Amino acid sequence: MDRKPDDDILEAVGPRLRALRRDRGITLADLAATTGVSESTLSRLESGQRRATLELLLPLARTYDVPLDDLVGAPRTGDPRIHLKPIRRSGMIFVPLSRRPGGVHAFKMIIPARPEPLEPTPQTHEGFEWLYVLDGRLRLVVGERDLTLPPGEAAEFDTSLPHWLGTADGGAVELLILFGQQGLRSHVRTDRPAQCSSDASRS
C-alpha cells in the first residue's frame, strides 16, 4: 500500500515534540500538569505510539507558544511572508529567526536606547552563544572582560561564564544571536572565553 505524504508528516511529530520539550527543559510531568494531557499520553505521542490529533496538539502549541504548523512541520503554502513574533524579556526584544525545535536557535536582538546605560548584572546559564553586531555599540561583559563592540564585530562565549549584554553609549543596539543549549558551539570553536572579529566571515 502506497504511503501518503501526510503519513510522513505525522510520523515526524513525535520526535519533534520530544526535541522541543527537552530543549525547553520541561519534564513530562510538568507538561502534563500544564496541558491537562496525561503523562502516559504525552509519552506515547512523543514515541510515535499515539497518533497526533488536533485535540492533543492545540494545548501543546499554546504551552510552547509556537504555531501549530511548527509542531507538525507542515509545508507552508500561499502567503510567502514570514510572520515573526517578537519576545520581550528583561527590557530587550528578541525576534526568533529559526523555527526548528531543538538545536541551535537564531534571534535578532534589539536593545532599546536608554538615557543612561545600565550597570552590568552578569548571569550564567548552560549553553554557548555567538553574536554579531548589526547597528549601535554593544557592551559585552564576559567573566573579567569588559568589551565594546561596534557594528560588524562578532563574539562567541560559553554562557556558563558570567555575562551581560547592554548598550555601550545609551543608543539602541541591534544584533544577531545564535544560541545552542547543552554546550553546542554555534560558530567557530575556540578555547578562549570570548573572541571578537571585525569581519563576520572570520568569526
Side-chain angles (χ1 to χ4, degrees):
M1 184 177 179
D2 293 338
R3 289 175 59 86
K4 298 178 181 179
D6 289 349
D7 292 335
D8 293 330
I9 292 175
L10 290 174
E11 283 186 3
V13 171
R16 185 175 290 106
L17 290 174
R18 182 184 293 112
L20 181 58
R21 178 178 59 80
R22 290 177 175 175
D23 184 60
R24 299 290 179 89
I26 302 174
T27 66
L28 282 172
D30 291 337
L31 190 58
T34 303
T35 61
V37 180
S38 71
E39 189 173 343
S40 61
T41 297
L42 291 171
S43 177
R44 286 186 286 121
L45 184 61
E46 289 187 357
S47 65
Q49 298 175 15
R50 176 69 181 265
R51 192 175 182 84
T53 64
L54 190 60
E55 182 181 7
L56 293 175
L57 293 179
L58 280 176
L60 291 171
R62 285 194 295 267
T63 298
Y64 292 134
D65 193 25
V66 297
L68 190 61
D69 284 350
D70 285 8
L71 296 185
V72 299
R76 296 180 177 271
T77 59
D79 191 345
R81 293 174 298 178
I82 299 175
H83 302 283
L84 303 174
K85 184 178 180 180
I87 301 169
R88 299 179 184 274
R89 184 177 302 163
S90 302
M92 296 180 283
I93 301 171
F94 297 83
V95 181
L97 303 178
S98 57
R99 304 178 63 84
R100 176 180 174 273
V104 177
H105 294 273
F107 295 88
K108 179 179 181 181
M109 177 178 172
I110 302 171
I111 303 175
R114 301 184 60 87
E116 295 183 3
L118 294 173
E119 286 299 315
T121 53
Q123 298 182 351
T124 63
H125 54 83
E126 189 176 10
F128 201 87
E129 201 162 301
W130 177 90
L131 59 84
Y132 176 82
V133 182
L134 296 169
D135 192 28
R137 294 173 59 82
L138 174 72
R139 183 180 180 187
L140 172 64
V141 177
V142 181
E144 300 298 323
R145 305 187 68 177
D146 194 334
L147 309 169
T148 298
L149 280 66
E153 286 202 342
E156 60 173 357
F157 52 92
D158 186 338
T159 55
S160 65
L161 294 170
H163 61 280
W164 178 86
L165 286 75
T167 171
D169 54 14
V173 185
E174 296 185 12
L175 57 151
L176 294 177
I177 288 185
L178 297 181
F179 171 72
Q181 293 190 354
Q182 305 300 329
L184 285 174
R185 304 297 292 265
S186 55
H187 214 261
V188 177
R189 295 174 180 271
T190 177
D191 293 328
R192 290 182 292 174
Q195 179 180 9
C196 299
S197 171
S198 58
D199 186 341
S201 65
R202 298 202 308 269
S203 61

